[in-house]
Amino acid sequence: MSSNGPSTAPGRQTRPRLPLRAAAVALALAGALAATAPTAQATDHGRNSSSRCGGRGVDSGALIRYESDTLIKAPLRTIWKLQTDVEGWPAWQPPVTSMERLDHGPLRKGSRFRWTTPAPATPTTPETTLEITSTVQRMRNQECILWKGPAIGEGLRIDEGVHLWTFREVKGGVRVHTEETWTGDQVEADVPTATEALGQGLEAWLRDLKATAEARSGGRPH
């Protein structure tokens, strides 16, 4: 997600609170809004998670948080390239409808990218597109990456999402762990529903990453 300068999330203000039941699916920032996923479960231990990247983690004060992990039977270099080649996300995450790097060169701390994902019409909200501006806060090669920033659409808004990924080689493959937090008046109006939407998005992202990495490597972890 994003950080300082032009991509800094504006200060939190009181805004009309949209019905989260109608809007939650459109808020799944993991780029998997249209995917079918198991019911997400909030993780109480997320508040005390020790996961960090360069000494930083997700927002410890956020009311909306979710974390999960999966074992991917593919080389770490394959998984890392998929995740950090953000311009290639639309090729393996269909709900990512556009992606634009806002700087040049390899992805690194301070890199910024802007991407979009559709939000379908509901009985109470119009069809819209969420625009997400992300800035890399921390990054360690083939180990972890942390980004943050806002998601804005017509009638829908998340003031700030903070998203952490960690990668660890284990027997049989790579353990990929992800955590994300959301803040903002609209999503905080219904924390359980927003948490479920966030969880569905993260679980779908993990499934897509796993399927793509394993297909490219033939299911060989090394």
Side-chain angles (χ1 to χ4, degrees):
M1 317 287 310
S2 98
S3 78
N4 300 324
S7 59
T8 301
R12 293 173 58 188
Q13 302 175 358
T14 302
R15 302 179 182 86
R17 294 182 173 181
L18 299 180
L20 264 292
R21 181 180 180 185
V25 174
L27 297 172
L29 296 188
L33 301 173
T36 301
T39 300
Q41 299 295 323
T43 52
D44 292 336
H45 59 283
R47 292 185 179 277
N48 300 314
S49 174
S50 60
S51 295
R52 296 286 186 273
C53 186
R56 293 186 60 176
V58 295
D59 187 342
S60 61
L63 298 178
I64 300 157
R65 60 185 57 246
Y66 188 90
E67 63 178 285
S68 187
D69 59 62
T70 192
L71 176 67
I72 301 181
K73 297 178 181 179
L76 175 56
R77 63 182 179 276
T78 299
I79 301 167
W80 181 257
K81 180 173 175 57
L82 280 169
Q83 189 73 318
T84 58
D85 178 16
V86 297
E87 291 172 295
W89 284 0
W92 56 274
Q93 295 193 74
V96 179
T97 53
S98 72
M99 170 63 72
E100 177 189 7
R101 279 288 303 272
L102 302 179
D103 47 42
H104 302 287
L107 200 70
R108 60 196 181 278
K109 181 180 177 181
S111 290
R112 300 174 61 234
F113 50 97
R114 181 176 297 125
W115 45 298
T116 59
T117 190
T122 72
T124 57
T125 60
E127 180 178 2
T128 189
T129 296
L130 284 174
E131 183 177 88
I132 306 157
T133 303
S134 302
T135 299
V136 177
Q137 303 293 299
R138 294 288 189 274
M139 183 172 175
R140 290 185 172 178
N141 186 44
Q142 298 190 39
E143 181 180 338
C144 63
I145 185 168
L146 176 77
W147 62 70
K148 61 185 288 191
I152 303 171
E154 183 179 352
L156 295 174
R157 181 189 182 93
I158 295 174
D159 287 355
E160 185 173 82
V162 184
H163 200 171
L164 170 70
W165 292 83
T166 64
F167 307 82
R168 180 169 57 93
E169 289 185 304
V170 297
K171 183 177 180 180
V174 176
R175 178 65 59 181
V176 178
H177 179 83
T178 187
E179 302 179 30
E180 186 167 354
T181 54
W182 287 353
T183 55
D185 290 341
Q186 289 181 337
V187 288
E188 289 169 9
D190 186 342
V191 170
T193 302
T195 301
E196 182 172 346
L198 172 58
Q200 288 176 348
L202 294 185
E203 295 293 351
W205 194 328
L206 284 171
R207 287 198 308 274
D208 285 342
L209 180 61
K210 176 180 173 69
T212 305
E214 291 182 352
R216 293 191 180 185
S217 64
R220 295 186 299 273
H222 300 293

